[in-house]
Amino acid sequence: IVAGLCAEPGMSAEKDFYAGKTVIVYVGRPPGSGADLAVRSFVRFWQKHIPGQPTMVVKNVPGGGGSRVWNLAWDKKNPNDLEIFFSPISGTAVIVEQKGLRADLSKMPLIGALMSPNMTFARTDRLHKAEDLMSVKGLKFAGQAPAHRFSILGRLTLDILGVEYRNVTGFRGSSDVFNAIRRKEVDIQTGPLNFYRFTVEPNAVRNGEVIPLWYNPIIDEKGEITPLPAAGDIPSFIEFYQSVKGEAPAGELFEIYKWLIPHINGIVYGALLAPGSPDAAVQILSESFIRVTQDPEYRAEEQKMFGFNLPVVSPQQGSILIKNMTNAPEYIKVFLTKYIKQVR
């Protein structure tokens, strides 16, 4: 009885915090985009897991290469508990202090985040088997914007392997790259694992037009590597390297790869609040974010959308990653700046 009496006031206060309120969720991508659909799906379930079950409305604020939504949060003069900024985070933009990004994400409370794995595949008329990558000359790797994580990680893995290739840049998205693959204009693509599962696999893998090469594994901020069960029988990049080289990857480029994986690939969909938001809102939203990711109905819908459940990044782990991005080692900043400039 005593325990119940002690718990009741706190539970009631938490429930009343958002009761009858409307929460705006800003996403920095246009309506109908992959990020927009992912956020809207999450918000439908989030609404019922927040005590008080507030009304949640998604508002699109695309632009600025994804920076506009974070600048909007950063510029808030009177932050409140009724606005959430839930959008893809460009770790590269934070690390190289990309022009146009004014926001300091390390000073914005992180509620929770999701990771979206990616992988690399190639045309079979150029590579009859995966091992041919090491001997075929004149391959064309297709990239999006020079600072995009798919472009950076795709190039970096090829460079670590010592593959001879030419970079073709400027594609607007994964679908555009895949269409170029099918038109035989380019040979290799790095893209989202869910895009591979739902688009590439049924349309080009099953008929022998494309073969998977590797996926980029989960690597934490300490450099510890974790396999990704959702990748199925696709080898990780480390496993692929070992199979074609007969030894584990090592060297300066591989150390840079291990640092970059968690910091440009570890948080894809991040939910943050404006600086100075109420502590009570941070706690309630963080706890409810985790409850959504554990909801069987949401997990089932996630399976339909992505083909697997997106790995969850806790506020504690995500905050460490964002802090590391904003205080990246100088050699990482120098490398990334030059690596991006090579393509531009």
Side-chain angles (χ1 to χ4, degrees):
I1 294 171
V2 171
L5 290 172
C6 290
E8 189 60 35
M11 291 168 62
S12 177
E14 185 180 81
K15 187 173 181 180
D16 292 343
F17 193 89
Y18 277 107
K21 294 181 179 179
T22 297
V23 177
I24 307 296
V25 181
Y26 297 94
V27 58
R29 292 291 188 273
S33 63
D36 175 68
L37 295 174
V39 169
R40 287 178 185 274
S41 173
F42 193 96
V43 164
R44 274 198 305 111
F45 291 88
W46 203 356
Q47 196 165 257
K48 73 176 185 178
H49 283 286
I50 297 174
Q53 299 186 338
T55 299
M56 299 185 80
V57 179
V58 176
K59 185 173 181 180
N60 300 87
V61 285
S67 297
R68 186 183 172 200
V69 68
W70 306 122
N71 290 340
L72 177 65
W74 182 250
D75 293 339
K76 289 289 177 182
K77 302 301 180 186
N78 298 298
N80 56 54
D81 54 302
L82 302 178
E83 294 177 313
I84 301 172
F85 303 84
F86 194 1
S87 196
I89 291 177
S90 171
T92 306
V94 176
I95 293 166
V96 301
E97 300 174 8
Q98 185 172 294
K99 186 178 179 181
L101 178 63
R102 298 189 305 276
D104 183 346
L105 272 60
S106 68
K107 293 181 176 148
M108 296 167 59
L110 178 69
I111 298 166
L114 301 170
M115 175 196 168
S116 180
N118 53 62
M119 51 87 63
T120 299
F121 57 88
R123 285 170 40 206
T124 52
D125 64 329
R126 296 290 279 138
L127 304 180
H128 300 303
K129 57 184 184 301
E131 294 78 7
D132 292 343
L133 179 70
M134 306 307 297
S135 57
V136 174
K137 307 295 183 183
L139 292 168
K140 295 177 184 176
F141 168 75
Q144 298 177 33
H148 197 288
R149 63 192 179 105
F150 296 157
S151 297
I152 291 171
L153 293 176
R155 291 172 58 207
L156 192 52
T157 47
L158 293 174
D159 288 340
I160 292 169
L161 285 163
V163 174
E164 181 187 304
Y165 71 97
R166 182 159 66 90
N167 185 67
V168 182
T169 190
F171 292 95
R172 290 177 298 175
S174 295
S175 295
D176 289 337
V177 179
F178 181 51
N179 289 334
I181 289 267
R182 302 201 77 184
R183 291 193 300 266
K184 300 184 178 181
E185 296 170 356
V186 291
D187 307 310
I188 306 172
Q189 176 177 0
T190 295
L193 180 59
N194 63 302
F195 176 77
Y196 175 82
R197 289 290 185 221
F198 285 115
T199 302
V200 180
E201 215 165 37
N203 293 299
V205 175
R206 289 175 188 167
N207 64 11
E209 191 178 348
V210 159
I211 54 170
L213 297 177
W214 61 76
Y215 72 89
N216 288 306
I218 297 173
I219 303 178
D220 67 18
E221 69 279 2
K222 297 176 182 176
E224 295 182 7
I225 301 168
T226 304
L228 185 69
D233 58 354
I234 302 170
S236 70
F237 173 68
I238 289 91
E239 291 169 332
F240 182 90
Y241 186 99
Q242 290 173 321
S243 70
V244 297
K245 295 283 193 177
E247 60 183 2
E252 183 182 1
L253 280 184
F254 182 64
E255 291 303 314
I256 289 173
Y257 169 84
K258 287 199 297 180
W259 195 94
L260 288 178
I261 283 287
H263 296 103
I264 71 172
N265 207 48
I267 300 178
V268 176
Y269 302 120
L272 293 87
L273 299 183
S277 293
D279 291 340
V282 175
Q283 181 178 345
I284 291 170
L285 294 175
S286 297
E287 292 172 352
S288 59
F289 188 99
I290 295 298
R291 286 197 291 270
V292 176
T293 65
Q294 297 169 344
D295 184 327
E297 290 185 16
Y298 171 72
R299 290 178 69 81
E301 180 153 319
E302 204 175 28
Q303 283 279 350
K304 290 180 183 177
M305 288 182 63
F306 299 104
F308 52 88
N309 296 113
L310 300 182
V312 182
V313 182
S314 70
Q316 295 76 19
Q317 182 187 5
S319 296
I320 290 171
L321 292 176
I322 291 175
K323 185 176 180 181
N324 290 347
M325 292 175 202
T326 56
N327 298 283
E330 190 62 26
Y331 76 93
I332 292 289
K333 290 183 181 181
V334 170
F335 172 82
L336 264 186
T337 301
K338 288 182 178 179
Y339 209 57
I340 293 167
K341 190 175 180 180
Q342 285 175 6
V343 176
R344 285 189 173 143

